[in-house]
């Protein structure tokens, strides 16, 4: 019996390997979308539109939301999150203490049907901006550390994460920082304008992702190193189950192009800090199976990554520590 089991499992490994190489590719070609001079830390990469798409749009450390206008033009200013932001005081800054004044957007999600861009800003909570950009409007505030969000394509509900009740984004780089388990997973209903707390006691933030069919949301815990599945419908509705423990710290989760699959940006050795950080993209199924792992360690050496966004068969990789978005293709 044993040899037969062995050979069929070996066959499975081989078929899985073939599938990864032939069907999915290894994303071995690399190019960059460079930020403007002095700009740093693109942590998101959202695209607008369905058939003809624009972007990526990204958030950077000095508080701007930028839009990629193609290789000849590069990135241009698109939106910002606070009326106190001036270009003289804020452009190019990496001073965390300026965040409340300049804004610190961390995550973007378009509602495709309306063209509205929803924004999670670490200091200013949940905001929205229209198709022409400019100053965003706050929808919900009073959060300590809004870290990630995703719009439900069908209902328009916005799911977002407040990473902690006690620490904000500035504290995470201060000496002696200790993460806690006071993060929350929330929902903003655009019709009632109410915010509901769906889960509390989360260990760290990250970006949630709603499934394409709107039946569940994947919720990462950055410092807790795991991903939960929160059911929106069915017998398990309004409950969460742990889907996957990750080897490193999962930041944003994004829907992959193949239905039912997701990409997770994982930084191994980030929290607690290790001597070397290894950034990886994990493609997972809705059952929590890891289908593919891509290492970005060559181009993002010893850097944390925030996002892996699949678009047109390419992976757009965002990091707080780079002056570019990395683009991996086959
Ligand atoms: C977080 O950082 C801010 C600004 O530097 C500081 O005022 C606050 O006391 C810090 N909070 C904690 C919990 O360390
Ligand atoms: C990685 O970065 C950390 C902190 O920035 C540093 O202490 C460490 O020496 C780096 N490791 C390598 C191998 O460069």
């Amino acid at each position: 019996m044993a040899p037969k089991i062995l050979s069929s499992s070996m066959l499975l490994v081989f078929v899985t390997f073939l599938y990864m190489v032939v069907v999915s590719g290894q994303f071995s070609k690399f190019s960059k979308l460079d930020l403007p001079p002095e700009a740093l830390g693109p942590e998101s990469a959202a695209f607008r539109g369905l058939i003809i798409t624009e972007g990526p749009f990204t958030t950077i450390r000095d508080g701007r939301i930028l839009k990629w206008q193609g290789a000849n033009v590069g990135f241009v200013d698109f939106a910002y999150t606070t009326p106190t932001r001036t270009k003289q005081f804020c452009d190019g800054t990496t001073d965390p203490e300026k965040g409340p004044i300049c804004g610190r957007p961390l995550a973007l999600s378009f509602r495709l049907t309306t063209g509205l861009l929803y924004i999670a800003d670490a200091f200013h909570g949940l905001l929205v901006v229209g198709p022409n950009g400019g100053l965003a409007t706050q929808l919900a505030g009073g959060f300590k550390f809004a870290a990630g969000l995703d719009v439900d394509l069908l209902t328009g509900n916005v799911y977002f994460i407040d990473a902690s009740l006690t620490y904000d984004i500035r504290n995470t780089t201060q000496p002696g920082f200790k993460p806690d388990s006071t993060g929350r997973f929330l929902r903003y209903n655009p019709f009632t304008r109410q915010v509901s707390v769906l889960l509390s006691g989360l260990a760290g933030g990250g970006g949630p992702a709603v499934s394409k069919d709107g039946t569940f949301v994947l919720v990462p815990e950055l410092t807790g190193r795991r991903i939960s599945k929160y059911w929106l419908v069915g017998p398990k509705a309004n409950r969460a189950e742990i889907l996957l423990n990750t080897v490193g710290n999962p930041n944003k989760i994004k829907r992959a192009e193949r239905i039912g699959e997701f990409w997770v940006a994982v930084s191994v050795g980030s929290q607690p800090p290790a001597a070397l950080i290894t950034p990886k993209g994990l493609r997972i199924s809705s059952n929590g199976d890891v289908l593919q792992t891509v290492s970005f360690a060559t181009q993002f050496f010893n850097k944390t990554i925030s996002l892996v966004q699949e678009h047109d068969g390419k992976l757009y990789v965002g990091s707080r520590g780079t002056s570019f978005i990395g683009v991996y293709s086959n």
Side-chain angles (χ1 to χ4, degrees):
M1 246 3 240
K4 191 154 179 245
I5 291 168
L6 189 69
S7 65
S8 63
S9 67
M10 278 174 69
L11 184 66
L12 184 68
V13 168
F14 180 68
V15 169
T16 309
F17 176 75
L18 261 190
Y19 174 80
M20 279 167 58
V21 174
V22 179
V23 184
S24 306
Q26 291 298 286
F27 299 103
S28 48
K29 285 190 197 146
F30 178 74
S31 62
K32 288 176 184 180
L33 305 183
D34 283 309
L35 295 180
E38 315 290 316
L40 203 64
E43 294 197 62
S44 37
F47 291 85
R48 178 161 73 185
L50 267 179
I51 306 202
I52 300 165
T53 57
E54 296 173 275
F57 295 71
T58 191
T59 55
I60 60 172
R61 268 161 75 169
D62 71 12
R64 280 178 288 173
I65 295 163
L66 305 176
K67 179 187 178 188
W68 178 253
Q69 292 278 39
N72 292 336
V73 178
F75 280 102
V76 296
D77 289 5
F78 179 71
Y80 54 105
T81 54
T82 158
T84 52
R85 186 181 203 287
T86 62
K87 290 184 75 64
Q88 294 96 308
F89 185 69
C90 299
D91 279 13
T93 187
T94 52
D95 178 359
E97 297 294 337
K98 285 189 176 180
I101 294 164
C102 299
R104 192 69 170 83
L106 291 175
L108 302 173
S109 182
F110 278 103
R111 174 127 209 238
L112 294 177
T113 51
T114 58
L116 293 177
L117 176 61
Y118 289 89
I119 305 158
D121 182 292
F123 296 101
H124 302 285
L126 181 65
L127 303 99
V128 70
V129 73
N132 298 324
L135 177 60
T137 306
Q138 193 185 53
L139 298 172
F143 305 106
K144 197 79 181 171
F145 185 173
L149 87 171
D150 195 26
V151 182
D152 185 326
L153 300 174
L154 304 171
T155 62
N157 286 330
V158 184
Y159 293 89
F160 63 109
I161 288 178
D162 186 14
S164 173
L165 294 172
T166 63
Y167 64 82
D168 66 35
I169 190 171
R170 294 171 293 187
N171 305 124
T172 62
T173 48
Q174 290 164 354
F177 167 67
K178 287 221 165 41
D180 63 14
S181 296
T182 59
R184 294 175 302 159
F185 171 55
L186 308 121
R187 170 168 54 210
Y188 171 81
N189 179 321
F191 302 103
T192 63
R193 302 185 179 195
Q194 295 289 309
V195 172
S196 333
V197 179
L198 305 180
L199 296 172
S200 52
L202 301 181
V210 187
S211 67
K212 227 164 229 168
D213 63 3
T215 56
F216 62 88
V217 189
L218 297 189
V219 182
E221 286 174 88
L222 187 86
T223 57
R225 284 177 286 172
R226 60 185 193 182
I227 295 169
S228 295
K229 185 175 191 174
Y230 182 91
W231 288 96
L232 299 174
V233 298
K236 297 187 220 165
N238 308 317
R239 275 188 285 157
E241 59 195 21
I242 292 170
L243 187 68
L244 171 69
N245 289 291
T246 48
V247 190
N249 305 99
N251 195 330
K252 288 174 183 135
I253 305 174
K254 290 286 166 182
R255 283 181 295 281
E257 292 190 311
R258 205 165 311 157
I259 292 177
E261 296 180 3
F262 300 84
W263 281 99
V264 189
V266 174
S267 302
V268 182
S270 160
Q271 191 59 247
L276 180 69
I277 295 166
T278 310
K280 290 178 180 178
L282 261 51
R283 185 163 58 87
I284 64 171
S285 73
S286 49
N287 298 322
D289 301 317
V290 178
L291 305 171
Q292 184 176 9
T293 302
V294 181
S295 173
F296 308 118
T298 305
Q299 294 80 13
F300 291 82
F301 176 72
N302 199 17
K303 286 190 164 47
T304 60
I305 54 163
S306 307
L307 167 113
V308 177
Q309 173 76 60
E310 189 180 11
H311 182 76
D312 272 349
K314 297 174 183 166
L315 300 182
Y316 291 77
V317 179
S319 166
R320 193 167 294 181
T322 59
S323 59
F324 60 83
I325 290 179
V327 186
Y328 291 83
S329 58
N330 290 305

